[in-house]
Amino acid sequence: MGRPWGAAVAAGAIVLALAGCAVVPVSAGSDSEAHDRFIALLDDAQQLVGGDWQVQDDPTPRECVIPLWVSGERHPALRIGDAPAAPSAAAERVERAWSEAGIRVTRTDVGDVIEVKGETADGELLVLRVSESASTLLGESECRPL
């Protein structure tokens, strides 16, 4: 009788341990506040690059998975802008601003296109591409539980 009872106790302990783990959004605040912070990062980058921009953000959230296999959703963004007067200087301004905000930044030059990629601790992704012909800014918000 000891083995079945011991297995039941072990299984119960695992269930209690997992039930005690609350799924907490990656960042503090409400879903709306997290979305607003993400949009503000994009808006700020646009201003640092300058020029006119077309905002083509998709209002439809995308499915994602949070650790412990919890379903979540994230929001995509796409903005297309004019070519900056000085692409390298524009990329440097955005790179500096994102770094100062604590965002992990990677800069890559591919031909005449400069890409500045930012990844926040909350799982947001930001990608700026600038060249002498155009600017694009895209991203994905953090994955928030449903």
Side-chain angles (χ1 to χ4, degrees), residues 14-29:
I14 291 170
V15 169
L16 285 174
L18 291 176
C21 295
V23 176
V24 178
V26 177
S27 67

Side-chain angles (χ1 to χ4, degrees), residues 54-121:
Q54 297 173 21
V55 175
Q56 298 180 356
D57 298 351
D58 187 346
T60 308
R62 300 284 181 354
E63 195 174 324
C64 57
V65 178
I66 300 171
L68 296 179
W69 303 281
V70 174
S71 294
E73 65 183 20
R74 65 177 61 215
H75 294 271
L78 172 64
R79 284 119 190 260
I80 301 168
D82 295 335
S88 184
E92 287 172 18
R93 287 190 299 273
V94 172
E95 183 178 9
R96 185 173 41 255
W98 287 352
S99 292
E100 289 173 359
I103 298 171
R104 186 176 57 235
V105 178
T106 306
R107 181 179 170 151
T108 307
D109 294 355
V110 181
D112 67 339
V113 177
I114 302 168
E115 178 181 278
V116 180
K117 179 179 172 184
E119 297 175 81
T120 71

